Amino acid sequence: MKLEKEKAKHLAELARLEVSEEEAAEFSHQLSEVLDYAGKVREAPVEGVEPTIHLLPLTNVFRDDEVKPFLTREEALVNAPRREEGFFRVPRILEEN
Amino acid sequence: MNYETVIGLEVHVELKTEAKVFCGCAARFGSEPNTHVCPGCLGMPGALPVLNKKAVELCIKAGLALQCRIAPFSRFDRKQYFYPDLPQAYQITQDDLPLCTGGKLKIVNPGGEERIIRINRIHLEEEAGRTYHSGIGATGYSLLDFNRSGLALIEIVTEPDLRSPAEARIFLEKLQEILRYVEVSDCKMEEGSFRCDANISVHPAGSQEFGRRMELKNLNSFKAIQAALAYEENRLGSLLAAGTPPVQEESRGWDETRGMTFFMRPKEKASDYRYFPDPDLPPLVIAEEWVEKIREDLPELPEEKKNRYMKEYGLSAQDADLLGGSRETAEFFEATLRLYPGEAKTVANWVMGEFARLLNLEKLTPAQSKLKPEALAAMLQMIDAGEISGKIAKTVFEEMFYSGKSPREIVEEKGLVQISDESQLAALVRGILAKHPGPVADYRAGKTKALGFLVGQVMKETKGKANPGLVNKLLREELEK
């Protein structure tokens, strides 16, 4: 199954990866091969087989509506590269204006 | 040329649960930042979501209140996009198998026309964290609070059935009323627990094809929603009239100060989210018995209440709407009526009149006020028995509202008992007649309007405590002697 170069570039964009034209061509080729390989499962005879919704034979796994505190704020922030007054601080993400 | 407007809404509502939807952190508004968080709602590797049962129940409840079909089988999917307030880089939501589908809500539009607005779906998902922007330009940065991350959220999507900005607003007010009624959410727009995005398009009247769609985001009050839609309706109409219809679908924001919408970005295509079933969450099988149990627990809905009030109590549609529209008001009204054997209309007038006025003044809800249905019922009975006049009752009512005392206590403390003693009143009446020979002569000369003045004088003399019926009768007797 061929994955076009444009599609590879689009995927890179969605994944926030910067790729050059050459890389896009290379990934397009490589991803096509991966798809071909994975495409083998399409050959499996599935007539009359119910679609698999979930791998485990489980349904309705619930928790009760109870509050169970887990982390203190200090613990939550301990690995944050930057913080400010109890917040995680990150680079500017305001996209408009 | 005439244009037609088509509007559809996406409403996000935070559910009234104690804990978040996939973890045990508290679902509380207004706490210190990052104090209700865990590896789950911080998106740390290895943490697994476990679904809060109450959230499923509340979503089903919302579905039933909006006459949806509850899916016997449902599941969760991952919606993938990058934003720092979404720590997993995907939102757990429901894509093709939502919990509720195909509902409807009836509204009455400004033209008095009944309109059925169809609900496409209601699905359950998790809330994102909150972002605060700080500083400006290159020195700017963002601060993140994950207390909101993982709150139980439902998204209610309507069909494009709304035809004007005013209809959209009425629909949202009705929706908020119902969701509060069934206690699915507190629906506070100012706290963000009830939010709305609106899709709008405009096309030439009679055309089969809808115009290009604009999505309006971040509309945080009913006023803003109506204003933003009205602005956009106008803008799109002008573009069509100029022969330059919009070329792409856009997400647009609302600038409250300038009173206009602005371009944010072209609308993303759905496939860009690359939905796929979340392998961490087993699917839901919703048994008919479970749904029926939730249905049984539903309170009488505003629409049903309104109809019953009109039929059982003979109230006007407007009165029935006002009383039935808020659950607390309806409960107060009905509790009073159970204790008071008189006319429902009398109770309705007090609840919608004085009570509503004072609640509004003090910014209280009926349940928060000190006035109890017992006190109102007792006061109404005192009026009926002629113990207090309607005028005095207003004073008594206000005192009951602020002090929570019984009407009898107040009447006794303040000496407000109505004077119904005939000989006492007769003496008073004779005194007034002697003092005002002019009006007396007028009356006797056929100007019966003078009677009103004389009644007023007696009431003034007794500070409103005289029984007005009796005063009337005694005055006539004296004047016609």
mmCIF file of all heavy atoms in Angstrom, chain A residues 10 14 16 54 59-60 62-63 65 67-68 70 73 84 86-90 92-94 96, chain B residues 18-19 24 33-34 39 50-53 82 133 137 141-144 265 272 279 283-285:
data_model
loop_
_atom_site.group_PDB
_atom_site.id
_atom_site.type_symbol
_atom_site.label_atom_id
_atom_site.label_comp_id
_atom_site.label_asym_id
_atom_site.label_seq_id
_atom_site.Cartn_x
_atom_site.Cartn_y
_atom_site.Cartn_z
ATOM 1 N N HIS A 10 2.124 15.405 5.847
ATOM 2 C CA HIS A 10 0.975 15.750 6.684
ATOM 3 C C HIS A 10 1.074 15.076 8.057
ATOM 4 O O HIS A 10 0.844 15.687 9.094
ATOM 5 C CB HIS A 10 -0.312 15.325 5.972
ATOM 6 C CG HIS A 10 -1.555 15.605 6.749
ATOM 7 N ND1 HIS A 10 -1.953 16.880 7.087
ATOM 8 C CD2 HIS A 10 -2.486 14.769 7.287
ATOM 9 C CE1 HIS A 10 -3.085 16.833 7.778
ATOM 10 N NE2 HIS A 10 -3.421 15.550 7.922
ATOM 11 N N LEU A 14 1.277 16.738 11.783
ATOM 12 C CA LEU A 14 0.404 16.395 12.908
ATOM 13 C C LEU A 14 1.218 15.989 14.129
ATOM 14 O O LEU A 14 0.821 16.221 15.262
ATOM 15 C CB LEU A 14 -0.543 15.257 12.521
ATOM 16 C CG LEU A 14 -1.684 15.606 11.570
ATOM 17 C CD1 LEU A 14 -2.450 14.349 11.195
ATOM 18 C CD2 LEU A 14 -2.621 16.614 12.213
ATOM 19 N N ARG A 16 4.066 17.163 14.818
ATOM 20 C CA ARG A 16 4.968 18.285 15.095
ATOM 21 C C ARG A 16 6.431 17.900 14.849
ATOM 22 O O ARG A 16 7.315 18.233 15.622
ATOM 23 C CB ARG A 16 4.828 18.765 16.548
ATOM 24 C CG ARG A 16 3.439 19.197 16.930
ATOM 25 C CD ARG A 16 3.049 20.516 16.248
ATOM 26 N NE ARG A 16 1.803 21.036 16.771
ATOM 27 C CZ ARG A 16 0.587 20.750 16.303
ATOM 28 N NH1 ARG A 16 0.461 19.904 15.277
ATOM 29 N NH2 ARG A 16 -0.496 21.259 16.837
ATOM 30 N N HIS A 54 -12.600 -5.004 21.804
ATOM 31 C CA HIS A 54 -11.604 -4.861 22.843
ATOM 32 C C HIS A 54 -10.884 -6.180 23.030
ATOM 33 O O HIS A 54 -11.473 -7.240 22.849
ATOM 34 C CB HIS A 54 -12.288 -4.437 24.154
ATOM 35 C CG HIS A 54 -11.338 -3.840 25.130
ATOM 36 N ND1 HIS A 54 -10.717 -4.570 26.104
ATOM 37 C CD2 HIS A 54 -10.894 -2.569 25.276
ATOM 38 C CE1 HIS A 54 -9.922 -3.775 26.813
ATOM 39 N NE2 HIS A 54 -10.019 -2.553 26.331
ATOM 40 N N THR A 59 -16.284 -5.868 30.238
ATOM 41 C CA THR A 59 -17.124 -4.691 30.001
ATOM 42 C C THR A 59 -17.409 -4.047 31.358
ATOM 43 O O THR A 59 -17.240 -4.688 32.408
ATOM 44 C CB THR A 59 -18.485 -5.051 29.364
ATOM 45 O OG1 THR A 59 -19.145 -5.998 30.205
ATOM 46 C CG2 THR A 59 -18.333 -5.610 27.963
ATOM 47 N N ASN A 60 -17.848 -2.789 31.328
ATOM 48 C CA ASN A 60 -18.320 -2.087 32.525
ATOM 49 C C ASN A 60 -17.379 -2.194 33.735
ATOM 50 O O ASN A 60 -17.770 -2.689 34.784
ATOM 51 C CB ASN A 60 -19.700 -2.597 32.935
ATOM 52 C CG ASN A 60 -20.728 -2.363 31.855
ATOM 53 O OD1 ASN A 60 -20.388 -1.910 30.774
ATOM 54 N ND2 ASN A 60 -21.974 -2.644 32.154
ATOM 55 N N PHE A 62 -15.889 -0.203 36.498
ATOM 56 C CA PHE A 62 -16.176 1.111 37.074
ATOM 57 C C PHE A 62 -15.418 1.356 38.369
ATOM 58 O O PHE A 62 -15.025 0.418 39.054
ATOM 59 C CB PHE A 62 -17.671 1.229 37.412
ATOM 60 C CG PHE A 62 -18.573 1.205 36.229
ATOM 61 C CD1 PHE A 62 -19.599 0.275 36.139
ATOM 62 C CD2 PHE A 62 -18.411 2.121 35.197
ATOM 63 C CE1 PHE A 62 -20.457 0.260 35.047
ATOM 64 C CE2 PHE A 62 -19.263 2.110 34.095
ATOM 65 C CZ PHE A 62 -20.283 1.166 34.029
ATOM 66 N N ARG A 63 -15.289 2.635 38.716
ATOM 67 C CA ARG A 63 -14.905 3.020 40.064
ATOM 68 C C ARG A 63 -16.078 3.778 40.662
ATOM 69 O O ARG A 63 -16.905 4.333 39.922
ATOM 70 C CB ARG A 63 -13.649 3.889 40.054
ATOM 71 C CG ARG A 63 -13.855 5.258 39.405
ATOM 72 C CD ARG A 63 -12.554 6.011 39.200
ATOM 73 N NE ARG A 63 -11.814 6.117 40.429
ATOM 74 C CZ ARG A 63 -10.486 5.987 40.499
ATOM 75 N NH1 ARG A 63 -9.795 5.757 39.396
ATOM 76 N NH2 ARG A 63 -9.866 6.105 41.645
ATOM 77 N N ASP A 65 -17.862 6.879 42.756
ATOM 78 C CA ASP A 65 -17.613 8.321 42.731
ATOM 79 C C ASP A 65 -17.091 8.785 44.093
ATOM 80 O O ASP A 65 -17.794 9.419 44.851
ATOM 81 C CB ASP A 65 -18.908 9.049 42.352
ATOM 82 C CG ASP A 65 -18.674 10.544 42.178
ATOM 83 O OD1 ASP A 65 -17.535 10.929 41.872
ATOM 84 O OD2 ASP A 65 -19.649 11.302 42.352
ATOM 85 N N VAL A 67 -13.714 10.492 46.268
ATOM 86 C CA VAL A 67 -12.471 11.255 46.159
ATOM 87 C C VAL A 67 -11.359 10.529 46.899
ATOM 88 O O VAL A 67 -11.511 10.146 48.060
ATOM 89 C CB VAL A 67 -12.655 12.669 46.731
ATOM 90 C CG1 VAL A 67 -11.336 13.416 46.749
ATOM 91 C CG2 VAL A 67 -13.689 13.433 45.921
ATOM 92 N N LYS A 68 -10.276 10.291 46.172
ATOM 93 C CA LYS A 68 -9.098 9.675 46.794
ATOM 94 C C LYS A 68 -7.875 10.498 46.450
ATOM 95 O O LYS A 68 -7.299 10.328 45.379
ATOM 96 C CB LYS A 68 -8.932 8.236 46.296
ATOM 97 C CG LYS A 68 -10.019 7.333 46.840
ATOM 98 C CD LYS A 68 -9.723 5.887 46.568
ATOM 99 C CE LYS A 68 -10.841 5.021 47.131
ATOM 100 N NZ LYS A 68 -11.221 3.932 46.247
ATOM 101 N N PHE A 70 -4.250 11.860 45.883
ATOM 102 C CA PHE A 70 -3.122 11.036 45.468
ATOM 103 C C PHE A 70 -1.790 11.753 45.634
ATOM 104 O O PHE A 70 -0.916 11.285 46.341
ATOM 105 C CB PHE A 70 -3.320 10.616 44.006
ATOM 106 C CG PHE A 70 -2.485 9.440 43.611
ATOM 107 C CD1 PHE A 70 -3.025 8.166 43.641
ATOM 108 C CD2 PHE A 70 -1.169 9.601 43.231
ATOM 109 C CE1 PHE A 70 -2.258 7.057 43.288
ATOM 110 C CE2 PHE A 70 -0.394 8.505 42.879
ATOM 111 C CZ PHE A 70 -0.942 7.230 42.908
ATOM 112 N N ARG A 73 0.667 18.956 45.984
ATOM 113 C CA ARG A 73 1.077 19.836 44.895
ATOM 114 C C ARG A 73 2.593 19.763 44.700
ATOM 115 O O ARG A 73 3.086 19.771 43.580
ATOM 116 C CB ARG A 73 0.655 21.265 45.210
ATOM 117 C CG ARG A 73 1.170 22.213 44.163
ATOM 118 C CD ARG A 73 0.315 23.417 44.036
ATOM 119 N NE ARG A 73 0.533 24.328 45.141
ATOM 120 C CZ ARG A 73 -0.099 25.495 45.267
ATOM 121 N NH1 ARG A 73 -1.011 25.837 44.374
ATOM 122 N NH2 ARG A 73 0.154 26.283 46.264
ATOM 123 N N GLU A 84 5.704 28.229 38.613
ATOM 124 C CA GLU A 84 5.478 29.567 39.144
ATOM 125 C C GLU A 84 4.214 29.540 39.992
ATOM 126 O O GLU A 84 3.140 29.192 39.510
ATOM 127 C CB GLU A 84 5.332 30.567 37.976
ATOM 128 C CG GLU A 84 5.219 32.001 38.443
ATOM 129 C CD GLU A 84 5.277 32.985 37.265
ATOM 130 O OE1 GLU A 84 6.197 32.872 36.435
ATOM 131 O OE2 GLU A 84 4.389 33.846 37.185
ATOM 132 N N GLY A 86 2.829 27.575 42.064
ATOM 133 C CA GLY A 86 1.960 26.399 42.053
ATOM 134 C C GLY A 86 1.499 25.964 40.680
ATOM 135 O O GLY A 86 0.810 24.957 40.545
ATOM 136 N N PHE A 87 1.846 26.722 39.639
ATOM 137 C CA PHE A 87 1.497 26.346 38.269
ATOM 138 C C PHE A 87 2.700 25.706 37.587
ATOM 139 O O PHE A 87 3.843 25.985 37.947
ATOM 140 C CB PHE A 87 1.136 27.588 37.444
ATOM 141 C CG PHE A 87 -0.154 28.250 37.830
ATOM 142 C CD1 PHE A 87 -0.166 29.347 38.683
ATOM 143 C CD2 PHE A 87 -1.364 27.781 37.330
ATOM 144 C CE1 PHE A 87 -1.354 29.970 39.018
ATOM 145 C CE2 PHE A 87 -2.557 28.400 37.663
ATOM 146 C CZ PHE A 87 -2.553 29.489 38.519
ATOM 147 N N PHE A 88 2.422 24.886 36.562
ATOM 148 C CA PHE A 88 3.458 24.494 35.627
ATOM 149 C C PHE A 88 3.647 25.685 34.687
ATOM 150 O O PHE A 88 2.664 26.246 34.198
ATOM 151 C CB PHE A 88 3.021 23.287 34.791
ATOM 152 C CG PHE A 88 2.899 22.014 35.584
ATOM 153 C CD1 PHE A 88 1.719 21.693 36.248
ATOM 154 C CD2 PHE A 88 3.974 21.122 35.666
ATOM 155 C CE1 PHE A 88 1.606 20.518 36.971
ATOM 156 C CE2 PHE A 88 3.860 19.944 36.393
ATOM 157 C CZ PHE A 88 2.675 19.642 37.056
ATOM 158 N N ARG A 89 4.900 26.051 34.473
ATOM 159 C CA ARG A 89 5.139 27.170 33.561
ATOM 160 C C ARG A 89 5.699 26.635 32.244
ATOM 161 O O ARG A 89 6.648 25.852 32.243
ATOM 162 C CB ARG A 89 6.127 28.155 34.194
ATOM 163 C CG ARG A 89 6.405 29.316 33.288
ATOM 164 C CD ARG A 89 7.237 30.379 33.958
ATOM 165 N NE ARG A 89 7.802 31.244 32.933
ATOM 166 C CZ ARG A 89 8.365 32.407 33.196
ATOM 167 N NH1 ARG A 89 8.492 32.835 34.428
ATOM 168 N NH2 ARG A 89 8.860 33.129 32.213
ATOM 169 N N VAL A 90 5.088 27.025 31.138
ATOM 170 C CA VAL A 90 5.518 26.544 29.824
ATOM 171 C C VAL A 90 5.670 27.719 28.864
ATOM 172 O O VAL A 90 5.177 28.808 29.139
ATOM 173 C CB VAL A 90 4.502 25.528 29.229
ATOM 174 C CG1 VAL A 90 4.412 24.280 30.083
ATOM 175 C CG2 VAL A 90 3.123 26.167 29.061
ATOM 176 N N ARG A 92 5.136 30.276 25.792
ATOM 177 C CA ARG A 92 3.905 30.924 25.375
ATOM 178 C C ARG A 92 3.136 30.066 24.370
ATOM 179 O O ARG A 92 3.706 29.589 23.400
ATOM 180 C CB ARG A 92 4.259 32.259 24.725
ATOM 181 C CG ARG A 92 3.108 33.178 24.505
ATOM 182 C CD ARG A 92 3.665 34.535 24.150
ATOM 183 N NE ARG A 92 4.292 34.456 22.840
ATOM 184 C CZ ARG A 92 3.757 35.013 21.752
ATOM 185 N NH1 ARG A 92 2.611 35.650 21.839
ATOM 186 N NH2 ARG A 92 4.370 34.944 20.601
ATOM 187 N N ILE A 93 1.842 29.879 24.609
ATOM 188 C CA ILE A 93 1.066 29.067 23.671
ATOM 189 C C ILE A 93 -0.137 29.809 23.139
ATOM 190 O O ILE A 93 -0.996 29.241 22.497
ATOM 191 C CB ILE A 93 0.585 27.755 24.319
ATOM 192 C CG1 ILE A 93 -0.033 28.040 25.676
ATOM 193 C CG2 ILE A 93 1.712 26.758 24.398
ATOM 194 C CD1 ILE A 93 -0.762 26.873 26.245
ATOM 195 N N LEU A 94 -0.188 31.109 23.415
ATOM 196 C CA LEU A 94 -1.304 31.894 22.890
ATOM 197 C C LEU A 94 -1.102 31.977 21.385
ATOM 198 O O LEU A 94 -0.128 32.543 20.913
ATOM 199 C CB LEU A 94 -1.271 33.292 23.514
ATOM 200 C CG LEU A 94 -2.552 34.090 23.391
ATOM 201 C CD1 LEU A 94 -3.688 33.386 24.110
ATOM 202 C CD2 LEU A 94 -2.341 35.475 23.981
ATOM 203 N N GLU A 96 -3.398 33.102 18.958
ATOM 204 C CA GLU A 96 -4.090 34.141 18.174
ATOM 205 C C GLU A 96 -3.520 35.527 18.457
ATOM 206 O O GLU A 96 -2.710 35.715 19.335
ATOM 207 C CB GLU A 96 -5.583 34.125 18.490
ATOM 208 C CG GLU A 96 -6.286 32.934 17.877
ATOM 209 C CD GLU A 96 -6.192 31.721 18.761
ATOM 210 O OE1 GLU A 96 -6.277 31.876 19.981
ATOM 211 O OE2 GLU A 96 -6.028 30.610 18.224
ATOM 212 N N GLU B 18 -18.378 13.911 42.424
ATOM 213 C CA GLU B 18 -17.425 14.251 43.484
ATOM 214 C C GLU B 18 -16.002 14.144 42.949
ATOM 215 O O GLU B 18 -15.149 14.974 43.235
ATOM 216 C CB GLU B 18 -17.587 13.284 44.676
ATOM 217 C CG GLU B 18 -18.914 13.390 45.389
ATOM 218 C CD GLU B 18 -19.103 14.748 46.042
ATOM 219 O OE1 GLU B 18 -18.123 15.287 46.584
ATOM 220 O OE2 GLU B 18 -20.231 15.272 45.971
ATOM 221 N N ALA B 19 -15.751 13.041 42.221
ATOM 222 C CA ALA B 19 -14.410 12.768 41.719
ATOM 223 C C ALA B 19 -14.383 12.957 40.204
ATOM 224 O O ALA B 19 -15.416 13.082 39.560
ATOM 225 C CB ALA B 19 -13.998 11.350 42.081
ATOM 226 N N GLY B 24 -9.471 9.347 40.935
ATOM 227 C CA GLY B 24 -10.156 9.673 42.183
ATOM 228 C C GLY B 24 -9.900 11.091 42.684
ATOM 229 O O GLY B 24 -10.216 11.410 43.825
ATOM 230 N N PRO B 33 -4.120 26.054 42.539
ATOM 231 C CA PRO B 33 -3.748 25.282 41.340
ATOM 232 C C PRO B 33 -2.991 23.995 41.675
ATOM 233 O O PRO B 33 -2.213 23.945 42.629
ATOM 234 C CB PRO B 33 -2.852 26.255 40.562
ATOM 235 C CG PRO B 33 -2.462 27.316 41.524
ATOM 236 C CD PRO B 33 -3.586 27.419 42.504
ATOM 237 N N ASN B 34 -3.281 22.972 40.883
ATOM 238 C CA ASN B 34 -2.571 21.687 40.953
ATOM 239 C C ASN B 34 -2.623 21.019 42.327
ATOM 240 O O ASN B 34 -1.669 20.392 42.761
ATOM 241 C CB ASN B 34 -1.119 21.860 40.484
ATOM 242 C CG ASN B 34 -1.057 22.266 39.016
ATOM 243 O OD1 ASN B 34 -1.647 21.599 38.175
ATOM 244 N ND2 ASN B 34 -0.373 23.360 38.726
ATOM 245 N N PRO B 39 -1.186 10.963 38.864
ATOM 246 C CA PRO B 39 -0.516 10.570 37.615
ATOM 247 C C PRO B 39 -1.500 10.442 36.452
ATOM 248 O O PRO B 39 -1.148 10.724 35.306
ATOM 249 C CB PRO B 39 0.105 9.217 37.973
ATOM 250 C CG PRO B 39 0.353 9.300 39.445
ATOM 251 C CD PRO B 39 -0.824 10.078 39.987
ATOM 252 N N VAL B 50 -9.802 4.551 35.068
ATOM 253 C CA VAL B 50 -10.927 3.683 35.437
ATOM 254 C C VAL B 50 -12.157 4.574 35.519
ATOM 255 O O VAL B 50 -12.157 5.600 36.192
ATOM 256 C CB VAL B 50 -10.695 2.975 36.791
ATOM 257 C CG1 VAL B 50 -11.864 2.032 37.092
ATOM 258 C CG2 VAL B 50 -9.386 2.200 36.778
ATOM 259 N N LEU B 51 -13.197 4.170 34.832
ATOM 260 C CA LEU B 51 -14.366 5.021 34.616
ATOM 261 C C LEU B 51 -15.234 5.195 35.867
ATOM 262 O O LEU B 51 -15.598 4.225 36.526
ATOM 263 C CB LEU B 51 -15.201 4.417 33.481
ATOM 264 C CG LEU B 51 -16.477 5.131 33.069
ATOM 265 C CD1 LEU B 51 -16.194 6.547 32.596
ATOM 266 C CD2 LEU B 51 -17.164 4.345 31.944
ATOM 267 N N ASN B 52 -15.561 6.442 36.174
ATOM 268 C CA ASN B 52 -16.450 6.798 37.287
ATOM 269 C C ASN B 52 -17.902 6.455 36.898
ATOM 270 O O ASN B 52 -18.447 6.987 35.942
ATOM 271 C CB ASN B 52 -16.296 8.305 37.549
ATOM 272 C CG ASN B 52 -17.085 8.787 38.747
ATOM 273 O OD1 ASN B 52 -18.099 8.193 39.114
ATOM 274 N ND2 ASN B 52 -16.621 9.872 39.349
ATOM 275 N N LYS B 53 -18.515 5.568 37.666
ATOM 276 C CA LYS B 53 -19.863 5.073 37.331
ATOM 277 C C LYS B 53 -20.907 6.194 37.359
ATOM 278 O O LYS B 53 -21.824 6.241 36.537
ATOM 279 C CB LYS B 53 -20.254 3.980 38.335
ATOM 280 C CG LYS B 53 -21.508 3.243 37.949
ATOM 281 C CD LYS B 53 -21.759 2.069 38.885
ATOM 282 C CE LYS B 53 -22.977 1.287 38.425
ATOM 283 N NZ LYS B 53 -23.315 0.221 39.365
ATOM 284 N N PHE B 82 -2.187 18.190 20.008
ATOM 285 C CA PHE B 82 -1.199 18.719 20.949
ATOM 286 C C PHE B 82 -1.662 20.041 21.525
ATOM 287 O O PHE B 82 -1.975 20.974 20.789
ATOM 288 C CB PHE B 82 0.147 18.947 20.240
ATOM 289 C CG PHE B 82 0.837 17.682 19.881
ATOM 290 C CD1 PHE B 82 1.108 17.379 18.556
ATOM 291 C CD2 PHE B 82 1.229 16.783 20.863
ATOM 292 C CE1 PHE B 82 1.760 16.210 18.214
ATOM 293 C CE2 PHE B 82 1.893 15.614 20.531
ATOM 294 C CZ PHE B 82 2.154 15.315 19.203
ATOM 295 N N HIS B 133 -2.532 32.813 30.431
ATOM 296 C CA HIS B 133 -1.453 33.425 29.669
ATOM 297 C C HIS B 133 -0.911 34.618 30.439
ATOM 298 O O HIS B 133 -1.664 35.397 31.002
ATOM 299 C CB HIS B 133 -1.954 33.852 28.295
ATOM 300 C CG HIS B 133 -2.551 32.706 27.540
ATOM 301 N ND1 HIS B 133 -1.778 31.677 27.044
ATOM 302 C CD2 HIS B 133 -3.833 32.398 27.247
ATOM 303 C CE1 HIS B 133 -2.572 30.801 26.457
ATOM 304 N NE2 HIS B 133 -3.818 31.205 26.573
ATOM 305 N N GLY B 137 4.177 39.482 24.259
ATOM 306 C CA GLY B 137 5.207 39.350 23.239
ATOM 307 C C GLY B 137 6.155 38.201 23.519
ATOM 308 O O GLY B 137 5.743 37.150 24.033
ATOM 309 N N TYR B 141 4.506 33.906 28.557
ATOM 310 C CA TYR B 141 4.549 32.472 28.833
ATOM 311 C C TYR B 141 3.168 32.036 29.308
ATOM 312 O O TYR B 141 2.269 32.856 29.484
ATOM 313 C CB TYR B 141 5.608 32.152 29.885
ATOM 314 C CG TYR B 141 5.472 32.941 31.170
ATOM 315 C CD1 TYR B 141 4.693 32.453 32.224
ATOM 316 C CD2 TYR B 141 6.106 34.168 31.323
ATOM 317 C CE1 TYR B 141 4.560 33.176 33.399
ATOM 318 C CE2 TYR B 141 5.979 34.904 32.487
ATOM 319 C CZ TYR B 141 5.205 34.408 33.525
ATOM 320 O OH TYR B 141 5.077 35.120 34.674
ATOM 321 N N SER B 142 3.001 30.731 29.495
ATOM 322 C CA SER B 142 1.712 30.214 29.909
ATOM 323 C C SER B 142 1.847 29.414 31.194
ATOM 324 O O SER B 142 2.874 28.780 31.440
ATOM 325 C CB SER B 142 1.103 29.334 28.816
ATOM 326 O OG SER B 142 0.877 30.113 27.659
ATOM 327 N N LEU B 143 0.795 29.459 32.007
ATOM 328 C CA LEU B 143 0.780 28.728 33.275
ATOM 329 C C LEU B 143 -0.329 27.685 33.210
ATOM 330 O O LEU B 143 -1.415 27.942 32.676
ATOM 331 C CB LEU B 143 0.511 29.693 34.433
ATOM 332 C CG LEU B 143 1.592 30.744 34.666
ATOM 333 C CD1 LEU B 143 1.155 31.736 35.741
ATOM 334 C CD2 LEU B 143 2.918 30.092 35.046
ATOM 335 N N LEU B 144 -0.066 26.509 33.755
ATOM 336 C CA LEU B 144 -1.014 25.413 33.647
ATOM 337 C C LEU B 144 -1.484 24.923 35.015
ATOM 338 O O LEU B 144 -0.680 24.720 35.919
ATOM 339 C CB LEU B 144 -0.375 24.242 32.903
ATOM 340 C CG LEU B 144 0.058 24.553 31.473
ATOM 341 C CD1 LEU B 144 0.944 23.440 30.950
ATOM 342 C CD2 LEU B 144 -1.159 24.731 30.592
ATOM 343 N N ARG B 265 -8.583 30.540 12.914
ATOM 344 C CA ARG B 265 -7.871 29.572 12.069
ATOM 345 C C ARG B 265 -8.872 28.856 11.172
ATOM 346 O O ARG B 265 -10.060 28.825 11.463
ATOM 347 C CB ARG B 265 -7.138 28.545 12.944
ATOM 348 C CG ARG B 265 -8.062 27.843 13.929
ATOM 349 C CD ARG B 265 -7.336 26.809 14.769
ATOM 350 N NE ARG B 265 -8.234 26.337 15.807
ATOM 351 C CZ ARG B 265 -8.282 26.830 17.039
ATOM 352 N NH1 ARG B 265 -7.495 27.824 17.389
ATOM 353 N NH2 ARG B 265 -9.120 26.345 17.910
ATOM 354 N N ASP B 272 -8.109 14.695 11.133
ATOM 355 C CA ASP B 272 -6.833 15.101 11.701
ATOM 356 C C ASP B 272 -6.684 14.672 13.158
ATOM 357 O O ASP B 272 -5.585 14.659 13.683
ATOM 358 C CB ASP B 272 -6.677 16.610 11.612
ATOM 359 C CG ASP B 272 -6.191 17.037 10.242
ATOM 360 O OD1 ASP B 272 -6.020 16.156 9.387
ATOM 361 O OD2 ASP B 272 -5.991 18.234 10.043
ATOM 362 N N PRO B 279 -7.562 1.571 24.142
ATOM 363 C CA PRO B 279 -7.381 0.186 24.608
ATOM 364 C C PRO B 279 -7.380 0.073 26.139
ATOM 365 O O PRO B 279 -7.497 -1.023 26.673
ATOM 366 C CB PRO B 279 -6.018 -0.201 24.034
ATOM 367 C CG PRO B 279 -5.303 1.094 23.824
ATOM 368 C CD PRO B 279 -6.342 2.130 23.534
ATOM 369 N N PRO B 283 -15.265 -1.600 26.897
ATOM 370 C CA PRO B 283 -16.506 -0.971 26.439
ATOM 371 C C PRO B 283 -17.621 -1.034 27.481
ATOM 372 O O PRO B 283 -17.497 -1.745 28.483
ATOM 373 C CB PRO B 283 -16.880 -1.781 25.201
ATOM 374 C CG PRO B 283 -16.117 -3.046 25.309
ATOM 375 C CD PRO B 283 -14.909 -2.790 26.135
ATOM 376 N N LEU B 284 -18.672 -0.286 27.213
ATOM 377 C CA LEU B 284 -19.819 -0.239 28.123
ATOM 378 C C LEU B 284 -20.983 -1.017 27.532
ATOM 379 O O LEU B 284 -21.306 -0.861 26.358
ATOM 380 C CB LEU B 284 -20.279 1.209 28.306
ATOM 381 C CG LEU B 284 -19.335 2.142 29.058
ATOM 382 C CD1 LEU B 284 -19.855 3.576 28.964
ATOM 383 C CD2 LEU B 284 -19.247 1.711 30.517
ATOM 384 N N VAL B 285 -21.584 -1.845 28.364
ATOM 385 C CA VAL B 285 -22.823 -2.505 27.967
ATOM 386 C C VAL B 285 -23.898 -1.969 28.912
ATOM 387 O O VAL B 285 -23.833 -2.190 30.118
ATOM 388 C CB VAL B 285 -22.709 -4.035 28.089
ATOM 389 C CG1 VAL B 285 -24.058 -4.681 27.820
ATOM 390 C CG2 VAL B 285 -21.662 -4.551 27.110
#
